[in-house]
Amino acid sequence: MTFVTSNRHKFSEVSAILRDHEIPVEMASLELREIQADTLEEIAAEKAREACRRVDGPAMVEDTGLFIDGLGGFPGPYSAYVFRTVGNEGVLRLLEGAPDRGATFQSVFAYCRQDGSPECFPSAVAGVIAPECRGGGWGYDPIFIAEGASGRTYGELGDDKNRLSHRRMALENLARWIHDSGNAL
Ligand code: ITT
C-alpha cells in the first residue's frame, strides 16, 4: 500500500497501526494540492485522486482536522494552515478565558485506484484542549487531551497515542475493508 503524505510522523503512526493488521505500507512523500472545502471527506477524496494519478497506482491519503467547539469548529479543515501560522500557542491564546474547551480530532483516510472512485474511512475522537502545552509529539499533540487518556495530552502518551487516537479507528475500518474485499495493496 502506498501512503502519500509529506508528514513522516503520520507515516510512522500509520505504518505501526497497519503492521498489527499485516498490511505493509510505503511512504511516497509528495505535496498534494489541498482544495478549499468544508469537509475533510471532500479534501481527502480529491487528494486521493491526485495521489493515485501521481504514483500511477493505488494510493491512500489522510486528511486530519482539529475542530474546537468554543471556536465554532475552527480550525477544522484549516488545521494545517493554522498550525503553520499561529501554532499551538496561538490556539491557546484564542481560547483564553473560554468556558468551553471541548474539541474533536477528526481523520479521514481515502483510498483510490485508477479505475475507481475514492473510498473514504472517517473517524473522530472527542476531547478537550489543554490549558498549556504539555509533552512532546508533533503538531497539535501537546494541546489535545483525548477522552479516556486520563488527562494526558497526545504528546504525553508516547506510543499509547496509537491505541486511542483518531487515526486508529479509521485505520481499523480501512484494514477490515482491505481484508474483506481483497482490494488494495
Ligand atoms: P499531509 O501531507 O499528509 O497532508 P499534513 O501534516 O499537511 O500532512 P493534515 O493536513 O492532515 O496533514 O494535518 C492538518 C494539521 O493537523 C497539520 O498541522 C498536522 O500537523 C496536524 N495533525 C494531523 N494529525 C495530527 C496528530 O495525530 N497529532 C497532532 N497533530 C496532527
Side-chain angles (χ1 to χ4, degrees), residues 5-7 10 47 64 83 138 140-141 161 166-167:
T5 179
S6 58
N7 186 325
K10 239 191 211 188
K47 278 165 74 172
T64 294
F83 187 76
W138 55 280
Y140 294 106
D141 280 352
K161 175 185 171 190
H166 53 291
R167 194 158 279 123

Side-chain angles (χ1 to χ4, degrees), residues 1 11 23 25 38 48 51 65 72 80 82 87 94 98 110-111 121 125 130 148 168:
M1 165 74 80
F11 175 74
I23 298 173
V25 196
D38 293 334
V82 167
L94 284 174
Y111 167 85
F121 302 88
V125 164
R168 167 122 223 153

